[in-house]
Amino acid sequence: MSEELRGLVGSYLTRLAEGVIPPSEVADWALRVMEEKSDEAVEPAIWRALEQLSGADLLVAPGKYLHGHEDFAAWRAEFEADPGR
């Protein structure tokens, strides 16, 4: 299950960084996963990425996101570099 979830997280990070999926869709998915699982049952790197993804749609002003493609790419690079992989 952990490898499957790691693959899904990586896929969402990639698609988010490439701009092919809306931040709100990713945030909703991450929140659903976090509600279903415990942080103690998920690898720390995966949980950290889920926390980041759950905030992908945060706004600083109407229609202006707090995070952008550069942030998403950095999240992806951090996730891919994690030694727990």
Side-chain angles (χ1 to χ4, degrees), residues 1-13 15 29-51 53 79 85:
M1 177 59 177
S2 185
E3 283 303 311
E4 179 182 344
L5 183 55
R6 180 175 281 282
L8 285 170
V9 167
S11 174
Y12 273 101
L13 283 165
R15 291 185 290 156
W29 172 81
L31 286 170
R32 279 193 310 274
V33 171
M34 293 173 78
E35 288 172 356
E36 294 171 5
K37 307 208 178 299
S38 161
D39 63 333
E40 297 164 358
V42 176
E43 292 176 36
I46 295 173
W47 193 261
R48 192 169 41 255
L50 287 169
E51 288 177 328
L53 290 172
F79 181 72
R85 197 168 220 304

